[in-house]
Amino acid sequence: MQSLGGIRSWPATWRTTTASMTTTTTESVRKVAQVLTVAGSDSGAGAGIQADIKVCAARGVYCASVITAVTAQNTRGVQSVHLLPPDFVSEQLKSVLSDFEVDVVKTGMLPSPEIVEVLLQNLSEYPVRGRVALVVDPVMVSTSGHVLAGSSILSIFRERLLPLADIITPNVKEASALLGGVRIQTVAEMRSAAKSLHQMGPRFVLVKGGDLPDSSDSVDVYFDGNEFHELHSPRIATRNTHGTGCTLASCIAAELAKGSNMLSAVKVAKRFVDSALNYSKDIVIGSGMQGPFDHFLSLKDPQSYRQSTFKPDDLFLYAVTDSRMNKKWNRSIVDAVKAAIEGGATIIQLREKEAETREFLEEAKSCVDICRSNGVCLLINDRIDIAIACDADGVHVGQSDMPVDLVRSLLGPDKIIGVSCKTQEQAHQAWKDGADYIGSGGVFPTNTKANNRTIGLDGLREVCKASKLPVVAIGGIGISNAESVMRIGEPNLKGVAVVSALFDQECVLTQAKKLHKTLTESKREH
Ligand SMILES: Cc1ncc(COP(=O)(O)OP(=O)(O)O)c(N)n1
Ligand SMILES: Cc1ncsc1CCOP(=O)(O)O
Ligand SMILES: [Mg+2]
C-alpha cells in the first residue's frame, strides 16, 4: 500500500482563520479544513469520538466521524464495549471518504484487527487527492484501566498501520506494548522507545509521559527521525483528565488540517490540552475519578475569537510605543498607534514604562480595538496583568520579567509571547518554554533603553542561527540602517522593531511609510 504522507505534498494555498471555521481560499471556492476521526464512542462524552469532534470544533476545523465501537462509559469507568461489525465500519468509511475532502485522518480506538484491516483497505481505495495525513493515537487501555484494544491488534499495528502514519502518539504503556513490553520509566527510556517506534515507519513519534512516575513536570518526547525534543509542562492537579490523549491527537490533526507543520501542531496541541486542564481543573461533572474537561474554554471569552492569528511575517515592521516620546510630540498613545498602522506597521507593542495602571489599561483597551479593526496584533510589554485585562493578543517579556513558561500558563495556548534574547542559550530556552518569537538586540547603540548591552549584527546573526523561532531585530534601528540589518540574510529574521525611529519624530505616519518602503525594497533585493 502506498504511504499516505500527505502533509509533505500539500499544495501551497492561502489559508485564513475566520471566526468560525478555518478555510482555504483558492479562487472562488471556500474550503473548510476537515478531519476524519475513526474512533470509539464514549457515552460520557469526555473521550473518543465526542472529544474529537469537540476539539476540532474548538480549533475551527470540521470533523467527520466513523465509529468503530460503542462504549457504555462514565466518569467511574467503562462498563461495557460493543464492537461495530467491520463491514459497517467500512460502510461509514466509504460514505465519508467518497464524499468529503478530508485533510487529515485521525485514528483512536481500533478494537480488532478486522477493523484495522477495513480502515487500511478504505485508505488505499480513497487516497483523497493524495492530501491525507494520518495521525494514529494507538488507544489500548482507558484511563480507568479497561482494555479497549487487546494484544491481537499489535501485529497489524506494527506491520501495516504504523508505517503509514505521519505521527503516532502513544502513552508510555502503549509505547511499551507496541515494543513488546519494554520498560519505560524514565525520560531516557522514553527517548529510546521513540527511536525504536520510529523504526517501525511513522514519520514522527510523540511518546506522552503523563503517566511517568515521580516527575513534577509532564514531559512528552517528540522524535522526527533525527532530533529529539522534550516538551515540558507543569503537572496540573485535577481529576478531570479523561480524554486528554484523544484531545491531544485530534488537536494535532486539526492543526495539520489548517496547514501547520508537525512540530508546531504538536506544540499547539500540548498547549491546548494544558490550558483546557487548567481551565477545567475544578469543574464537577459525574461522581467518578475521571472527569471530563471543557474543550470550549475559549467560548467563555467571546473576545478571543476576534483575536488576530500571529504569523512570523507580522514582525516585518514592529512599532514599539514610548509615551515619553509621544508626550514630547504632544500626541496620545492611541493617535500614535493609529498613525503607525496607517504607515504600515505590522504589529504593535505598548511599552509604557511610566504609566499608571488605570490610565494604561484604558488606553490599552482603545488600542486593542484599533488594532483588531485593522487586523494588526497588539502586544503589551512586561505587564501580563494589563494584557489579560485588555485582552491583548499577547505580551513581550525580557529575561528579567516573568518566565515565559509561566506567562504561557497564564495566557493560554493562543496568545502571542515574545521574549528578548541576546544569546544562543536564551534562544534555545525561549523555544523550549513555548515563546512564539524572539526580539534580539540592541543591535546598535540606543538612548531609548538605558544600560542595554549592544550585541551588533554578529550577535543578532548568532541568535538567529540558534533559534527555531522567528526573530525581530531591535535597538538603534531606523531608516538609515534597517537595510543593513535585513541584509544579514538569516531566513528567520523577519523584521525590525523600532521605538524612536517612529515615535521620537514629528510625523509618525511619514516615518512609518518611509521605513516600510525601505524594508520592502530590502526584502525584494535579498
Ligand atoms: C520586540 C522587542 N524586543 C525586545 C524588547 C526588549 O524587551 P525587554 O528585554 O523586556 O526590555 P524592556 O522593553 O522591558 O525595556 C522589546 N521591548 N520588544
Ligand atoms: C526596548 C529595547 N530593547 C532592546 S533595545 C531597545 C530600545 C529600542 O529603541 P530604539 O528603536 O529607539 O533604539
Ligand atoms: Mg521587559
Side-chain angles (χ1 to χ4, degrees):
M1 184 184 300
Q2 69 168 76
S3 159
L4 297 176
I7 57 166
R8 286 183 177 172
S9 56
W10 282 1
T13 43
W14 175 46
R15 288 170 181 269
T16 53
T17 303
T18 64
S20 52
M21 284 275 166
T22 296
T23 59
T24 303
T25 307
T26 39
E27 293 160 12
S28 60
V29 294
R30 202 168 74 87
K31 194 185 110 40
V32 173
Q34 294 173 39
V35 165
L36 164 61
T37 172
V38 183
S41 159
D42 167 5
S43 53
I49 287 279
Q50 289 81 356
D52 298 345
I53 293 174
K54 284 188 275 185
V55 65
C56 285
R59 302 303 305 170
V61 169
Y62 189 81
C63 184
S65 56
V66 163
I67 300 183
T68 56
V70 181
T71 67
Q73 189 171 174
N74 57 21
T75 61
R76 294 189 214 131
V78 180
Q79 288 82 45
S80 176
V81 178
H82 174 69
L83 270 57
L84 267 77
D87 282 354
F88 192 69
V89 175
S90 187
E91 292 295 321
Q92 297 175 71
L93 284 162
K94 284 186 202 318
S95 293
V96 176
L97 291 172
S98 65
D99 186 20
F100 290 64
E101 259 192 64
V102 172
D103 295 298
V104 179
V105 174
K106 178 254 160 185
T107 67
M109 179 179 174
L110 298 173
S112 71
E114 294 75 20
I115 287 177
V116 182
E117 184 66 62
V118 298
L119 170 67
L120 293 168
Q121 184 60 36
N122 278 278
L123 289 178
S124 72
E125 273 172 38
Y126 297 98
V128 199
R129 287 175 272 286
R131 294 183 46 194
V132 175
L134 180 62
V135 175
V136 173
D137 182 18
V139 173
M140 290 179 199
V141 182
S142 72
T143 339
S144 56
H146 198 101
V147 174
L148 299 173
S151 54
S152 64
I153 51 100
L154 286 174
S155 63
I156 194 164
F157 263 51
R158 290 180 192 131
E159 286 150 31
R160 306 215 10 234
L161 186 63
L162 299 199
L164 288 183
D166 288 287
I167 184 165
I168 60 167
T169 62
N171 60 31
V172 287
K173 283 189 198 134
E174 291 155 352
S176 168
L178 286 166
L179 292 169
V182 296
R183 196 183 93 131
I184 310 176
Q185 288 184 349
T186 63
V187 173
E189 286 165 354
M190 285 169 72
R191 280 176 169 249
S192 146
K195 204 167 186 178
S196 304
L197 288 167
H198 188 266
Q199 282 161 3
M200 293 180 179
R203 287 177 178 71
F204 301 91
V205 176
L206 182 72
V207 179
K208 298 172 295 188
D211 297 335
L212 216 60
D214 307 328
S215 75
S216 57
D217 272 9
S218 151
V219 185
D220 297 343
V221 170
Y222 175 90
F223 184 56
D224 63 11
N226 287 314
E227 254 191 298
F228 288 99
H229 298 287
E230 284 175 20
L231 308 172
H232 292 252
S233 57
R235 234 170 242 289
I236 296 159
T238 176
R239 66 186 264 284
N240 299 325
T241 56
H242 181 49
T244 43
C246 305
T247 301
L248 186 89
S250 291
C251 193
I252 294 172
E255 297 308 308
L256 292 176
K258 289 189 270 185
S260 269
N261 68 38
M262 190 60 83
L263 185 54
S264 311
V266 168
K267 288 171 89 180
V268 166
K270 188 159 165 71
R271 275 188 214 163
F272 178 81
V273 170
D274 290 344
S275 301
L277 285 173
N278 203 27
Y279 185 87
S280 317
K281 59 180 186 286
D282 302 322
I283 61 175
V284 179
I285 294 175
S287 56
M289 288 309 291
Q290 276 93 41
F293 54 83
D294 176 4
H295 291 83
F296 291 104
L297 68 163
S298 56
L299 285 186
K300 306 287 173 200
D301 174 11
Q303 292 279 61
S304 66
Y305 264 143
R306 290 200 280 119
Q307 139 197 336
S308 322
T309 319
F310 173 69
K311 298 175 287 311
D313 285 338
D314 291 344
L315 299 172
F316 187 60
L317 202 183
Y318 192 147
V320 182
T321 68
D322 180 316
S323 50
R324 260 183 314 127
M325 294 178 192
N326 286 320
K327 271 193 193 120
K328 173 177 154 194
W329 292 98
N330 204 21
R331 59 186 163 235
S332 66
I333 306 178
V334 171
D335 286 341
V337 166
K338 274 186 191 160
I341 293 176
E342 200 185 333
T346 49
I347 187 165
I348 303 286
Q349 180 190 131
L350 302 186
R351 179 177 178 271
E352 299 299 327
K353 295 285 182 186
E354 287 152 23
E356 297 287 342
T357 298
R358 186 75 66 95
E359 195 185 338
F360 185 19
L361 178 58
E362 289 314 308
E363 284 164 332
K365 282 182 183 165
S366 305
C367 291
V368 165
D369 289 342
I370 292 158
C371 287
R372 286 231 162 104
S373 61
N374 284 281
V376 169
C377 294
L378 179 101
L379 273 56
I380 306 287
N381 180 287
D382 299 347
R383 297 283 305 265
I384 319 297
D385 56 338
I386 298 280
I388 292 171
C390 73
D391 189 34
D393 296 308
V395 295
H396 186 94
V397 288
Q399 291 293 326
S400 51
D401 296 322
M402 191 182 286
V404 171
D405 54 350
L406 187 51
V407 178
R408 174 62 70 201
S409 69
L410 291 172
L411 294 190
D414 293 326
K415 297 290 182 186
I416 305 162
I417 302 178
V419 60
S420 305
C421 297
K422 287 185 193 291
T423 66
Q424 301 199 324
E425 293 68 34
Q426 290 170 353
H428 283 299
Q429 194 61 42
W431 184 85
K432 272 193 180 169
D433 288 344
D436 295 292
Y437 77 86
I438 283 171
S440 189
V443 176
F444 303 120
T446 175
N447 292 326
T448 307
K449 184 170 166 66
N451 306 319
N452 185 42
R453 182 166 69 83
T454 300
I455 62 168
L457 290 174
D458 287 342
L460 172 66
R461 195 179 288 111
E462 281 205 1
V463 169
C464 289
K465 283 198 189 302
S467 173
K468 294 185 207 294
L469 296 170
V471 178
V472 62
I474 188 166
I477 302 173
I479 293 162
S480 62
N481 58 12
E483 205 257 331
S484 70
V485 174
M486 297 315 291
R487 207 185 315 133
I488 73 165
E490 292 299 329
N492 58 343
L493 177 64
K494 297 295 179 187
V496 298
V498 295
V499 186
S500 51
L502 295 188
F503 298 113
D504 202 4
Q505 310 287 331
E506 188 170 6
C507 182
V508 175
L509 174 61
T510 310
Q511 296 309 314
K513 278 184 176 166
K514 281 190 186 161
L515 185 53
H516 192 276
K517 187 162 175 269
T518 305
L519 288 168
T520 308
E521 282 166 4
S522 89
K523 193 173 174 181
R524 215 172 283 138
E525 279 159 27
H526 301 290

